[in-house]
């Protein structure tokens, strides 16, 4: 209304709707909505949080929501990656906590505002913390059951068969071998699972049950697994080890269980022509394994191991091994062979 439209000496009536107010000295205010009973750790500066939020003005007008995108907001806290009010308001939370954070404009988007946020607006964030971790975190192992005889412990190279439930920290189930009705089988230390899982399966005995919590940098990282594991998610694995087949010493894919024959080449070269072909070599090795005289590394393709052993013996690559080429493993530098 222009001043020229107002008659002199007129009494004026204003109908006012107060949208918000603040004082430049205001700090944020926090209202805890839901705090989990078990809170072993609270967030601190340098942690990486995944959380959902609704962002509204004081009159309830919604200006943003992570729920509408069906994706958490993920950020480091206490380091200036978000507005100062949220940087402060996300400190000291528990995993699973819900809180309301009211942010005055000088700790939010200031006099200019941003997008559909008016200038000088007081902001209200209702957050739900899904999980958080620190880049310095290692895995966490909690043993839930150990059998009376727990003397044989898993180590690198062992072939393991185990069941697991994989979930997020909020309990969301991601995968379960129990539901599939078959175990997951790996060679420990061979890179067949994420590093955190490999670490979590070490020094475990058959029949043991444990819970392993894996931070994302030891799991599936920032990318996650499309459609299966969210990016930067902390994972929980409930594991039961069902079977362990002892592996071979590091660097070996085949070992003898007893004394090695002094006439080994002649035994393999059954036709006595001074040359051993892959078929002869493979037949001999499998016969030693079947009789218990030799052992192949468990969990790997036996034919591939034998082929690699043969290739290592076939030094000139002509498809046959002579007595001059043939050497046992302890007669030369390390190779995956006899």
């Amino acid at each position: 209304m222009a001043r020229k439209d107002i008659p002199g000496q007129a009494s004026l009536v204003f109908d006012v709707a107060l949208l918000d107010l603040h004082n430049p000295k205001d700090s944020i205010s926090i209202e805890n909505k839901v705090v989990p009973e078990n809170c072993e750790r609270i967030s601190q500066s340098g942690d990486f949080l995944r959380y959902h939020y609704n962002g509204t003005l004081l009159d309830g007008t919604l200006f943003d929501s992570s729920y509408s995108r069906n994706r958490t907001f993920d950020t480091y806290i206490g380091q200036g990656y978000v507005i100062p009010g949220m940087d402060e308001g996300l400190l000291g939370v528990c995993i699973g906590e819900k809180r309301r954070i009211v942010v005055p404009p000088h700790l939010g988007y200031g006099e200019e505002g941003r997008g559909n946020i008016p200038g000088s607006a007081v902001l209200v964030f209702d957050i739900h913390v899904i999980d958080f971790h620190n880049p310095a975190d290692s895995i966490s192992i909690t043993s839930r059951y150990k059998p009376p005889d727990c003397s044989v412990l898993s180590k690198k190279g062992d072939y393991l068969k185990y069941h697991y439930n994989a979930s997020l920290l909020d309990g969301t189930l991601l995968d379960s071998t129990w539901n599939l009705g078959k175990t997951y089988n790996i060679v420990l230390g061979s890179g067949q699972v994420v590093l955190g899982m490999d670490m979590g399966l070490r020094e475990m005995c058959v029949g043991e049950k444990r819970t392993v919590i894996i931070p994302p940098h030891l799991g599936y990282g920032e990318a996650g697994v499309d459609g299966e594991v969210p990016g930067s998610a902390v994972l929980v694995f409930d594991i039961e080890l069902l079977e362990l087949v002892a592996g071979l010493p590091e660097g070996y894919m085949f070992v003898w269980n007893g004394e090695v024959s002094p006439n080994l080449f002649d035994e393999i070269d059954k036709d006595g022509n001074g040359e051993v072909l892959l078929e002869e070599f493979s037949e001999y090795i499998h016969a030693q394994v079947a009789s218990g005289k030799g052992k192949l590394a468990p969990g790997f393709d036996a034919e591939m191991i034998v082929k690699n052993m043969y290739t290592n013996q076939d030094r000139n690559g002509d498809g046959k091994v002579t007595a001059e080429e043939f050497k046992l493993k302890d007669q030369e530098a390390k190779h995956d062979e006899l």
Side-chain angles (χ1 to χ4, degrees):
M1 178 181 294
R3 293 184 62 181
K4 65 180 181 179
D5 297 328
I6 303 175
Q9 306 299 320
S11 297
L12 304 180
V13 178
F14 293 90
D15 291 319
V16 178
L18 181 63
L19 297 180
D20 66 29
L21 58 88
H22 74 280
N23 189 288
K25 296 180 181 179
D26 287 347
S27 60
I28 65 170
S29 67
I30 294 173
E31 179 185 353
N32 292 323
K33 297 289 188 178
V34 176
V35 179
E37 292 183 8
N38 297 320
C39 183
E40 298 180 358
R41 171 177 167 183
I42 61 174
S43 62
Q44 58 187 357
S45 181
D47 285 343
F48 189 87
L49 259 72
R50 295 194 315 123
Y51 64 97
H52 273 301
Y53 71 89
N54 284 326
T56 64
L57 305 179
L58 271 183
D59 66 357
T61 301
L62 183 72
F63 62 80
D64 193 16
S65 173
S66 64
Y67 296 100
S68 66
R69 295 187 292 273
N70 196 30
R71 181 187 175 97
T72 57
F73 189 84
D74 308 336
T75 184
Y76 288 98
I77 61 168
Q79 298 186 343
Y81 288 96
V82 290
I83 58 175
M86 287 297 282
D87 228 1
E88 180 184 349
L90 291 169
L91 296 173
V93 295
C94 303
I95 291 172
E97 182 172 339
K98 296 181 179 180
R99 67 167 45 171
R100 172 169 286 184
I101 305 169
V102 181
V103 180
H106 54 277
L107 297 176
Y109 293 102
E111 296 179 3
E112 295 78 19
R114 181 175 178 179
N116 57 349
I117 300 174
S120 299
V122 177
L123 309 178
V124 180
F125 291 93
D126 288 303
I127 68 157
H128 179 200
V129 180
I130 302 303
D131 65 30
F132 62 81
H133 72 281
N134 192 281
D137 288 347
S138 185
I139 65 169
S140 168
I141 298 176
T142 303
S143 184
R144 294 181 289 109
Y145 171 76
K146 283 189 177 182
D149 181 9
C150 193
S151 55
V152 178
L153 302 179
S154 58
K155 65 184 184 307
K156 183 177 181 180
D158 289 349
Y159 182 55
L160 308 181
K161 295 184 178 182
Y162 61 95
H163 270 308
Y164 71 82
N165 281 332
S167 61
L168 302 178
L169 277 180
D170 65 359
T172 301
L173 185 66
L174 300 176
D175 191 18
S176 172
T177 58
W178 277 289
N179 290 348
L180 295 174
K182 60 180 181 180
T183 58
Y184 200 79
N185 309 329
I186 67 158
V187 176
L188 197 56
S190 64
Q192 296 175 345
V193 289
V194 295
L195 181 56
M197 190 63 164
D198 197 284
M199 296 164 65
L201 288 166
R202 305 248 175 163
E203 299 185 354
M204 193 174 184
C205 62
V206 172
E208 183 177 347
K209 300 177 182 179
R210 59 172 55 168
T211 297
V212 181
I213 299 177
I214 302 176
H217 51 276
L218 297 174
Y220 293 98
E222 294 181 10
V225 180
D226 189 31
E228 297 181 37
V229 181
S232 299
V234 179
L235 304 179
V236 181
F237 285 89
D238 291 312
I239 304 167
E240 180 180 1
L241 182 59
L242 299 183
E243 186 177 336
L244 183 157
V245 180
L248 304 186
E250 189 169 355
Y252 286 77
M253 298 299 282
F254 174 86
V255 295
W256 299 95
N257 289 328
E259 293 295 324
V260 182
S261 170
N263 301 313
L264 183 58
F265 182 84
D266 293 334
E267 290 184 12
I268 301 175
D269 182 25
K270 287 186 177 181
D271 58 11
N273 67 349
E275 297 175 348
V276 171
L277 301 180
L278 175 58
E279 291 75 13
E280 292 177 288
F281 185 82
S282 178
E283 181 181 347
Y284 181 83
I285 294 298
H286 285 299
Q288 306 314 300
V289 173
S291 66
K293 296 179 181 179
K295 181 180 179 180
L296 290 167
F300 294 100
D301 185 298
E303 291 303 327
M304 187 60 68
I305 295 177
V306 173
K307 186 175 181 180
N308 288 341
M309 291 166 61
Y310 183 82
T311 300
N312 286 336
Q313 296 291 338
D314 183 15
R315 298 166 201 284
N316 62 8
D318 64 355
K320 56 190 177 184
V321 176
T322 63
E324 289 73 23
E325 291 177 294
F326 189 82
K327 291 182 182 178
L328 292 177
K329 189 175 181 70
D330 60 3
Q331 295 172 328
E332 57 178 38
K334 263 194 175 183
H335 294 290
D336 291 336
E337 56 188 46
L338 288 177

